Amino acid sequence: MTHGYPKFTEFVGAATWKFLCDCADILAFTGELFAAACEAVRHPKKIRWRETLYYMDMCGSDAVPITLMICFLMGLILGFQGAVQMHKYGGDVYLAPLVGASIVKELGPLMVAIIATGRAGSSFAAEIGTMKVSEEIDAMMTMGFVPSRFLVIPKMIAMILVLPMLTAMGDAVGIIGGMLVANIKLGIPFEAYYNMTLWGVKPFYFFEGLTKSAVYAFIIASIGCMRGFEARTDAMGVGRAATSAVVTSIFLIAVADALLAFIFSSINES
Amino acid sequence: MREIVAEVKNLKAGYGNRVILENINFQVFKGEIFMILGGSGCGKSTLLKHMIGLYKPMSGDVIINGKSIVNTDGAGKREIMRSFGVTYQGGALFKSLTLTENISLPLEEYTGYPKDVIEKIAERKLELVGLDGFGDYMPSEISGGMAKRAGIARAMALDPELLFFDEPSAGLDPISSAKLDELILNLRNKTGTTMLIVTHELDSIFSVADRVIVLDRESKGIIASGKPAELLHESPNPFVREFLSRSDMKRKV
Ligand SMILES: Nc1ncnc2c1ncn2[C@@H]1O[C@H](COP(=O)(O)OP(=O)(O)OP(=O)(O)O)[C@@H](O)[C@H]1O
Ligand SMILES: [Mg+2]
């Protein structure tokens, strides 16, 4: 048993099995969520709007400073790296479309989603995990409630409304970051940079970016909540749930990004 | 023949492959205070959680008010769950809501009464457990004993005819725990509510319980059942006599 090969196969087998089980769980949870969402659409009065507003505040307005800061820096960095390369080949004028399109289509939604995963996704998992430990979830069930209606739907709605807004703001400051670098490093006037951005960044790119960010919002909220519900009720359970929420969300965001990039590029070409 | 409110039939329960309880059979009659006793880790909470439908048993059945909670799912199961109240070990109050909101929640969901009526009811329930004036407090601002009492108030919000308690007096000082026993007894006498109480608090057995069952970890089942006073003298099981006589002694000191 202790020889290298069987142990390795065993390990790979166990890991694969665990991964497949996890996929099945995610699928089941998504189904449950979908049922709860349909219920919510049919009876909008039963949605917990007060909680929804609370989470919009928590995931939205509270996250504005850090989001703007990081997106601005990202614009600066991208502008700087782009300026060095573009200048080598005499492509200075194309810096604006490069920075603009990359941020609006890819990096804006992605960075905002990663920040939201760290801030909101982990706190969703911790919150629900703690409620599980203190038997609040049990209490909800024995009161005849469907816990996801109280705990998941408000977070989901809040995230899906708020994340695209954050992304739009992040896009704007990111472009400004690129503009600053272009002006300082390559001496491109602000107006020229602005015009080149308008020329290079199509409205469709915005649509693509915001759609992505809505999808990421769905992933972050559902995985955060799911990991919370799965949390073990011992001392380490809640911490592990939060960590796992972040790791799984970022992984799924990367997968979704690849799929969406593919889908959008084929739509755009046709 | 007295009316049966809850019945456990041939219950076999556990976690994973590990069996904790088997061959559990008992009935709870209307209006009585029924206690489940036993040493730590013998499966008292496990039994309770199976009775209220949070876990599925390996085999056997639990009947609440004539309906099987084991073989019902979805909306039907929620309907059965709504018909009884449960108070949890730590109160399990919703931390983001005030005490009044905690108690109002089931009322808002299920009754359709206007807001002021619901608030009145919540106030009355808080009064009943001696927490009048604390309605606007958050659960984090009250003590453990108060949280437990608030949990009882919430469990009674819809005036259920059956209440489950998990270790109502664990972790309370002797005076608070005696007060809690008094409260439980009073409630039963005033409202006729059937109560099923899981406890390892010896003090309350003789003063509160009408009937008890004693669980044992080794035999994974019930080793004694009946009226506490009868068991004290007549139980064939020496462990049970010992267990109960300690509590009896404590009471007389
Ligand atoms: N969720 C769970 N998963 C696996 N095993 C569990 C779980 N909950 C309890 N157990 C096991 O079941 C046994 C009975 O636990 P239970 O909580 O029912 O005991 P108890 O009689 O309520 O004890 P106490 O008086 O300490 O509360 C214990 O050995 C425990 O290890
Ligand atoms: Mg217990």
Side-chain angles (χ1 to χ4, degrees), chain B residues 48-205:
Chain B
L48 184 91
K49 289 196 167 155
H50 280 81
M51 286 188 77
I52 60 180
L54 289 175
Y55 295 120
K56 283 244 185 257
M58 293 164 159
S59 65
D61 206 351
V62 175
I63 315 279
I64 306 277
N65 289 319
K67 287 184 208 122
S68 161
I69 198 164
V70 175
N71 299 319
T72 322
D73 270 313
K77 182 167 177 176
R78 287 199 290 277
E79 185 90 16
I80 301 175
M81 285 175 145
R82 209 197 294 172
S83 73
F84 53 73
V86 185
T87 67
Y88 292 86
Q89 202 155 333
L93 299 169
F94 303 129
K95 302 285 181 301
S96 56
L97 305 177
T98 65
L99 298 194
T100 304
E101 286 167 342
N102 259 286
I103 299 168
S104 309
L105 192 64
L107 292 161
E108 281 166 12
E109 290 293 321
Y110 297 131
T111 61
Y113 293 154
K115 225 182 162 118
D116 51 323
V117 175
I118 289 181
E119 253 165 44
K120 270 266 152 53
I121 298 178
E123 225 167 81
R124 288 245 320 109
K125 299 291 175 197
L126 280 175
E127 238 176 79
L128 210 55
V129 295
L131 284 175
D132 27 338
F134 286 97
D136 292 332
Y137 281 59
M138 299 301 282
S140 57
E141 294 168 344
I142 59 175
S143 76
M146 288 158 87
K148 254 178 203 179
R149 279 184 281 155
I152 296 176
R154 186 182 62 186
M156 295 191 316
L158 295 166
D159 296 319
E161 288 175 355
L162 172 61
L163 271 175
F164 292 91
F165 295 82
D166 194 0
E167 312 260 359
S169 47
L172 296 188
D173 65 87
I175 297 175
S176 309
S177 114
K179 273 195 187 152
L180 198 68
D181 288 344
E182 222 170 276
L183 172 72
I184 289 171
L185 209 54
N186 266 338
L187 277 179
R188 196 273 308 264
N189 294 343
K190 254 192 243 168
T191 59
T193 312
T194 313
M195 315 234 182
L196 187 145
I197 303 172
V198 163
T199 188
H200 54 209
E201 197 67 29
L202 297 172
D203 294 14
S204 48
I205 299 169

Side-chain angles (χ1 to χ4, degrees), chain A residues 210-269:
Chain A
L210 297 188
T211 309
K212 275 183 178 173
S213 101
V215 173
Y216 300 160
F218 176 82
I219 291 175
I220 295 167
S222 50
I223 296 298
C225 295
M226 183 185 143
R227 290 301 189 223
F229 281 116
E230 284 174 357
R232 291 173 49 135
T233 53
D234 53 23
M236 284 187 300
V238 175
R240 222 180 278 148
T243 310
S244 159
V246 171
V247 174
T248 312
S249 297
I250 289 183
F251 172 71
L252 286 181
I253 285 171
V255 172
D257 191 11
L259 283 178
L260 287 169
F262 177 74
I263 292 171
F264 275 109
S265 76
S266 35
I267 293 176
N268 209 12
E269 274 161 21

Side-chain angles (χ1 to χ4, degrees), chain B residues 15 18 20 39-47 55 89 167 200:
Chain B
Y15 302 96
R18 200 173 135 220
I20 308 274
S40 192
C42 68
K44 301 183 297 292
S45 301
T46 304
L47 176 57
Y55 295 120
Q89 202 155 333
E167 312 260 359
H200 54 209

Side-chain angles (χ1 to χ4, degrees), chain B residues 18-32:
Chain B
R18 200 173 135 220
V19 178
I20 308 274
L21 296 165
E22 41 189 5
N23 282 324
I24 306 289
N25 285 289
F26 63 89
Q27 299 170 332
V28 182
F29 299 114
K30 194 173 171 63
E32 75 176 341

